[in-house]
Amino acid sequence: MSVAIDRRALEPWQDPSAVPFVRIERVTKQFGDIYAVDDVSLSIFQGEFFSLLGSSGCGKSTLLRLLAGLDYPSSGRIFIDGADVTDIPPYQRPVNMMFQSYALFPHMTVEQNVEFGLEQERMPRRERAERVGEMLDLLKIGELRKRKPDQLSGGQRQRAALARSLAKHPKLLLLDEPLGALDKRLRENTQFELVNLQERIGTTFVTVTHDQEEAMTMSSRIAVMEAGRILQIDTPTGIYEFPSNRFVAEFIGSVNLFEGRVMQRDGDLVTVETRLGRPIQMRCPLPLALGKPVTIAIRPEKIRLSAAYRDDAVNQIRGTVEDIAYLGDVSIYHVRISPDQVTRMTLANIQPQTEQELTWGQEVAMEWSPTSGVVLTD
Amino acid sequence: MRRGRWPLFTILAFGYAFLYIPVALLVIFSFNESRLVTVWSGFSTKWYAELFRNQQLLEAAWLSIRIAAVNATFAVLLGTLSANALVRHRRFRGRGGFELLLTAPLVMPDVIIGLSLLLLFVALQQGIGWPDGRGFTTITIAHITFSLAYVAVVVRARLSQLDRSLEEAAMDLGARPLTVYLRITLPLIAPALLSGWLLAFTLSLDDLVVASFVSGPGSTTLPMVIYASVRMGVSPQINALATLIMLFVALAVVVASLALRSQAKDRGHRTNARR
């Protein structure tokens, strides 16, 4: 799991006076009885690399198609760059899309594919040729210009499709699983390339992906979707460190959840009573009523593991090491803390594994600080 | 292993023999000297020469080819439109009825098609004065009626295989629906249009029954002439004519399959996941 460094000092979504570039207002899309998109509102700002993340069937692709105009919403409005485009057909929107299957025209060469959109704009021939050359250079596929799509590798097709969708200089580029059809190694390289490209040309990107790692690496912000609804919109860091509900916490990375009830509250320090021994103290800005059932979410790498039990530690749970998976850079420990719960934590292998003091079946203590997790109410 | 193949080869040989010996005989006897079709008496091309002097036969052949060509063209046009309606519009009023009517000629006996069309043409002539007599026009219309169904089947199969996102991509790039159809859809379904055209052409050239019902005096198609002359006793001219037709059809098939092959290369991959 790599959390992207914040690439933008500027975070327009923090600024209440900033005008969003794309505004989706209470949009619903029904297919028969199924709500593919269910009352979604969303603002995307100029120059963002915005990801819609979710498992298949969550409505993310439908939302993208609504932005492209390939489907029309059952209700709600969509604004792009200040204009209401809700009823505008796809061929009149200042938006281009890169399709998951790339959808390169098989009977045209790469060059003709890229030129197609410009022809529709009635751009003069010379200007067109210039723009095509520019795009092919940008994607470094100049030498493939005379090839047809079936003479290209997967990676080359992806570039050709990207060149075609950028050729018209769209205000907004939509990417449907842009890296989905590439193999793993190529995908990792392309992730960074795509981000660099986006920063260079400054176009607003909206991408759809089911791959959380991909979303984390590339995006300025992520919207996590499930069953047609948006569960959380935040930066990759925000989504990972401060998930707003259980679904997001479990969907992104792995997480340990402890259920309990609010026992005491002192400022933003909440004491939660669980079935796992001593009460747990967590920082939580939300106003929580006493006795309210809550879930504490702690990421595996935020937990310290030691053989020694200390009485003065704030949050401490005892357990038995049940499994150790050695992955080289880190090891994953499974610790049984109760008959029906096993927690998971990752420890960096700072020392060579041979000198590690923890082994199978050992009694251990797990510790974390009140700030290294979140309290969830649903 | 070797030995095990023998029965298979035998069956294959018999199969081919059954299919092609009659055809081979027809070709061989077209070069027969004798007037009798079944007795070989030496090589000659005189029946070809005589064929080209037989005005009636040539006129019938020319008529049939014209009918076949016009029929094929209209059948492709209408069949493609029908296939489009069925593939692209999942729900419209009367879809079920349309589909049924479109495919009915595939299973309807020729005699019934011929008879019903004859009744229609007669009624029309009495009612509105058109068609004025029966001939080229009525035969062509009758042929279009059933060829259309075959073309629709072929084009529909191809169209439903077509990746919808190709058309969506074109629209996304600013092409209006008509442009999308002309620049993307048509080129991609062109092989199906070509095979549909050839199919319709062949069906028309082949038809005896329907044409017999709806033809009039002075418009005798080739199959009708051949059938009539066979009843009088087969002339080797018919063999010569059949040989020429076969040559023509074989050439057309070769051309078509070459065209299809170069198209297939362009087809690329058709994987697509919508949602």
Side-chain angles (χ1 to χ4, degrees):
Chain A
M1 169 75 43
S2 56
V3 178
I5 319 147
D6 193 1
R7 294 177 285 110
R8 266 158 251 270
L10 195 73
E11 297 193 337
W13 51 89
Q14 304 279 23
D15 175 4
S17 67
V19 180
F21 187 67
V22 177
R23 215 164 78 233
I24 298 172
E25 269 181 14
R26 307 207 55 181
V27 161
T28 295
K29 176 66 183 177
Q30 260 177 286
F31 293 105
D33 295 336
I34 300 153
Y35 285 83
V37 173
D38 189 359
D39 196 14
V40 164
S41 295
L42 179 64
S43 290
I44 300 170
F45 295 87
Q46 179 99 52
E48 267 204 86
F49 196 126
F50 195 94
S51 291
L52 299 167
L53 175 64
S55 46
S56 67
C58 72
K60 55 191 194 302
S61 290
T62 306
L63 192 56
L64 202 70
R65 291 173 61 83
L66 292 175
L67 280 172
L70 298 171
D71 281 322
Y72 294 100
S74 309
S75 68
R77 312 299 302 171
I78 297 173
F79 299 86
I80 296 174
D81 199 13
D84 184 344
V85 298
T86 316
D87 303 313
I88 305 252
Y91 44 87
Q92 287 170 346
R93 293 196 187 194
V95 171
N96 285 126
M97 175 152 162
M98 190 184 124
F99 288 75
Q100 182 174 15
S101 60
Y102 304 142
L104 290 167
F105 307 133
H107 56 302
M108 297 185 192
T109 60
V110 169
E111 195 174 37
Q112 289 166 333
N113 263 285
V114 176
E115 200 179 358
F116 185 85
L118 304 172
E119 276 171 55
Q120 307 309 317
E121 244 176 26
R122 309 225 181 286
M123 185 187 270
R125 186 178 291 274
R126 277 187 55 190
E127 221 174 303
R128 232 155 57 195
E130 213 169 278
R131 182 76 71 81
V132 170
E134 223 173 84
M135 285 300 137
L136 296 179
D137 288 346
L138 183 69
L139 275 306
K140 306 189 193 85
I141 46 171
E143 71 280 14
L144 305 173
R145 54 167 62 221
K146 295 291 180 206
R147 298 240 193 123
K148 291 205 170 165
D150 68 334
Q151 297 167 311
L152 301 177
S153 71
Q156 291 168 337
R157 273 192 208 135
Q158 194 250 8
R159 283 163 182 278
L162 200 53
R164 187 180 70 178
S165 57
L166 284 172
K168 296 182 79 174
H169 290 170
K171 290 181 178 173
L172 177 66
L173 183 70
L174 309 172
L175 304 103
D176 191 359
E177 300 275 3
L179 311 175
L182 304 180
D183 60 62
K184 194 173 187 311
R185 185 176 290 267
L186 194 55
R187 194 156 62 216
E188 279 168 13
N189 294 332
T190 316
Q191 278 174 12
F192 291 104
E193 223 173 304
L194 205 55
V195 172
N196 290 336
L197 177 75
Q198 192 260 346
E199 286 187 339
R200 203 155 69 231
I201 60 178
T203 308
T204 310
F205 278 29
V206 177
T207 154
V208 150
T209 177
H210 67 275
D211 184 330
Q212 38 146 320
E213 203 170 316
E214 193 177 297
M216 297 290 266
T217 319
M218 301 194 300
S219 321
S220 61
R221 282 192 305 156
I222 298 172
V224 181
M225 287 187 73
E226 165 68 8
R229 290 172 172 276
I230 292 183
L231 297 183
Q232 186 174 3
I233 304 174
D234 209 335
T235 59
T237 322
I239 294 265
Y240 185 77
E241 303 289 350
F242 308 105
S244 64
N245 53 60
R246 270 181 84 143
F247 182 88
V248 175
E250 287 185 292
F251 188 73
I252 312 286
S254 53
V255 70
N256 295 301
L257 300 171
F258 306 108
E259 282 168 7
R261 277 172 191 285
V262 178
M263 201 170 88
Q264 197 188 322
R265 195 185 155 77
D266 181 13
D268 62 353
L269 195 65
V270 178
T271 310
V272 177
E273 184 182 29
T274 68
R275 295 180 294 122
L276 304 166
R278 299 211 319 237
I280 298 171
Q281 286 189 349
M282 299 298 295
R283 295 260 170 224
C284 177
L286 301 169
L288 294 171
L290 293 184
K292 188 178 174 63
V294 292
T295 307
I296 295 166
I298 315 277
R299 297 287 181 192
E301 74 283 0
K302 304 269 190 309
I303 298 177
R304 291 184 302 275
L305 201 57
S306 63
Y309 184 70
R310 290 183 301 140
D311 269 340
D312 58 336
V314 185
N315 296 319
Q316 188 164 303
I317 292 179
R318 277 199 268 190
T320 318
V321 177
E322 205 169 72
D323 248 324
I324 305 174
Y326 173 70
L327 300 184
D329 52 349
V330 294
S331 290
I332 298 172
Y333 290 78
H334 287 225
V335 177
R336 183 165 289 283
I337 53 170
S338 77
D340 56 354
Q341 193 174 3
V342 173
T343 55
R344 183 189 148 98
M345 64 213 68
T346 47
L347 294 187
N349 289 326
I350 299 160
Q351 300 293 323
Q353 181 73 24
T354 47
E355 295 174 26
Q356 213 87 47
E357 51 181 76
L358 301 169
T359 72
W360 287 267
Q362 189 170 353
E363 290 272 327
V364 288
M366 299 160 34
E367 290 174 24
W368 65 90
S369 81
T371 51
S372 53
V374 289
V375 180
L376 305 172
T377 53
D378 60 349
Chain B
M1 193 64 198
R2 277 272 145 121
R3 195 174 278 190
R5 285 184 179 175
W6 264 108
L8 280 178
F9 274 122
T10 315
I11 293 169
L12 190 69
F14 268 107
Y16 275 130
F18 186 73
L19 285 173
Y20 290 110
I21 283 181
V23 177
L25 279 178
L26 183 134
V27 174
I28 291 167
F29 276 100
S30 74
F31 296 104
N32 192 0
E33 167 81 59
S34 166
R35 169 166 285 280
L36 294 167
V37 177
T38 46
V39 182
W40 180 261
S41 66
F43 180 85
S44 154
T45 53
K46 71 174 185 189
W47 298 114
Y48 286 88
E50 210 158 299
L51 170 68
F52 284 107
R53 283 195 300 272
N54 187 337
Q55 210 53 41
Q56 191 208 2
L57 209 55
L58 286 181
E59 261 169 34
W62 177 231
L63 177 71
S64 273
I65 287 172
R66 266 157 54 219
I67 290 176
V70 174
N71 157 64
T73 308
F74 274 94
V76 165
L77 211 68
L78 296 172
T80 306
L81 289 178
S82 317
N84 254 307
L86 287 175
V87 175
R88 289 293 181 244
H89 304 281
R90 294 265 173 79
R91 262 174 289 176
F92 58 86
R93 192 184 263 282
R95 186 186 201 280
F98 179 60
E99 202 172 352
L100 192 73
L101 286 175
L102 186 67
T103 46
L106 296 177
V107 291
M108 192 111 72
D110 281 355
V111 179
I112 294 179
I113 297 180
L115 184 60
S116 57
L117 282 167
L118 175 61
L119 293 177
L120 173 77
F121 289 138
V122 171
L124 274 178
Q125 193 177 5
Q126 285 167 355
I128 61 170
W130 183 92
D132 187 18
R134 288 180 294 284
F136 179 84
T137 316
T138 50
I139 300 173
T140 309
I141 291 175
H143 282 184
I144 292 171
T145 321
F146 66 83
S147 306
L148 156 65
Y150 291 86
V151 175
V153 167
V154 173
V155 176
R156 191 178 171 183
R158 172 77 194 187
L159 207 55
S160 54
Q161 278 183 345
L162 193 70
D163 183 355
R164 194 82 172 87
S165 65
L166 291 174
E167 291 164 303
E168 288 177 344
M171 222 187 293
D172 180 69
L173 288 167
R176 290 168 173 278
L178 183 66
T179 315
V180 173
Y181 198 79
L182 295 177
R183 297 265 332 254
I184 306 298
T185 317
L186 268 188
L188 291 176
I189 61 169
L193 300 191
L194 183 61
S195 39
W197 196 92
L198 287 171
L199 186 62
F201 188 87
T202 317
L203 283 169
S204 166
L205 207 58
D206 201 35
D207 169 68
L208 171 65
V209 180
V210 176
S212 306
F213 275 99
V214 295
S215 71
S219 62
T220 314
T221 63
L222 189 61
M224 288 162 74
V225 172
I226 294 176
Y227 184 68
S229 66
V230 165
R231 277 192 304 185
M232 305 285 176
V234 191
S235 155
Q237 281 178 47
I238 303 293
N239 287 20
L241 182 64
T243 306
L244 287 179
I245 291 177
M246 269 188 335
L247 195 70
F248 177 71
V249 169
L251 270 176
V253 167
V254 168
V255 170
S257 62
L258 283 179
L260 286 181
R261 196 176 303 167
S262 75
Q263 276 280 345
K265 272 192 202 161
D266 291 349
R267 205 174 303 162
H269 59 139
R270 278 198 298 266
T271 48
N272 181 29
R274 281 278 294 271
R275 257 175 278 280

